[in-house]
Amino acid sequence: METLPTELYTPIFNSLLDTQAKTIQNLCLVSSHFYLSARPLLFNSLRITSFNVLASLLSTIQDLPPDERKIEHLQLELDAIDPTQTTNLLHIMHLAAPTLRSLVVRLPTTNPLSAVIISHAARANHFSNLEKLDLTGFFNLQQVFGSLRAPKLKEVILQTLQPLRLSGADLKMLDSLGELELVTINGQRVVRGEERELELEAKACHN
């Protein structure tokens, strides 16, 4: 395959992004030609399940050339909050924000810091390419949508750890998100511009 023009490697490797995560890592080990083409794809999709890796991951991402720092899918699944690592977590989200297409944040804890993380991330970043947002945690609608900038957002899935009573005014916040097509809150489909109040049960907390 090394007889192929190197510019063909990237589209071929891009077609493998939906396969097992190890695939891109293995391609980097094949040859120097493969490494140069596959390396920018290593961080296309990130799944973080421990606060312990945040410092080293942040350092690695910061060292990448800007054209290789293209994180399109970020999934954070953290069962507890480590206050000493929240800055690193927010910094990773900030670096990923410009190229993110999907963001999954699962913080199934009633620790108030989870709401701080979600609201700060929404307020401090411009998610110019974000299409899907999936949040689980201790937050309210205002903390998510009050300052969210995501003009291409199409799908929102929210699971809150507390019951929600949403007024028509709360739901009209969704109208500020231009391309939004599907909103599900605590398992219930929500219609944009809905005038009636909604009572939404909380998601069970497992910790």
Side-chain angles (χ1 to χ4, degrees), residues 39-55:
R39 178 183 164 180
L41 306 177
L42 277 174
F43 295 92
N44 178 271
S45 181
L46 293 180
R47 181 172 178 261
I48 300 172
T49 59
S50 170
F51 275 96
N52 296 332
V53 304
L54 292 180

Side-chain angles (χ1 to χ4, degrees), residues 10-53:
T10 299
I12 293 172
F13 295 166
N14 265 308
S15 69
L16 300 174
L17 285 174
D18 291 333
T19 61
Q20 293 185 358
K22 286 284 186 183
T23 302
I24 300 299
Q25 296 179 36
N26 291 335
L27 285 172
C28 287
L29 302 175
V30 172
S31 69
S32 59
H33 298 288
F34 276 35
Y35 175 78
L36 291 174
S37 296
R39 178 183 164 180
L41 306 177
L42 277 174
F43 295 92
N44 178 271
S45 181
L46 293 180
R47 181 172 178 261
I48 300 172
T49 59
S50 170
F51 275 96
N52 296 332
V53 304

Side-chain angles (χ1 to χ4, degrees), residues 54-128:
L54 292 180
S56 59
L57 178 60
L58 175 59
S59 177
T60 300
I61 294 173
Q62 287 176 318
D63 288 343
L64 291 173
D67 61 337
E68 294 186 14
R69 195 185 296 154
K70 296 180 179 178
I71 303 169
E72 295 189 357
H73 309 281
L74 179 59
Q75 187 167 341
L76 306 171
E77 296 186 356
L78 302 164
D79 289 335
I81 301 292
D82 182 347
T84 66
Q85 292 294 324
T86 54
T87 299
N88 287 335
L89 177 59
L90 289 170
H91 202 163
I92 289 172
M93 294 176 73
H94 177 70
L95 292 174
T99 54
L100 271 185
R101 291 173 52 207
S102 69
L103 174 61
V104 177
V105 180
R106 297 202 170 103
L107 299 172
T109 170
T110 54
N111 187 323
L113 265 178
S114 67
V116 172
I117 290 170
I118 290 171
S119 61
H120 182 84
R123 184 176 66 253
N125 298 298
H126 187 187
F127 297 95
S128 53

Side-chain angles (χ1 to χ4, degrees), residues 137-153:
F138 191 67
F139 57 86
N140 58 51
L141 208 63
Q142 182 63 41
Q143 288 168 323
V144 177
F145 294 111
S147 54
L148 181 66
R149 292 171 294 167
K152 295 183 179 180
L153 191 62

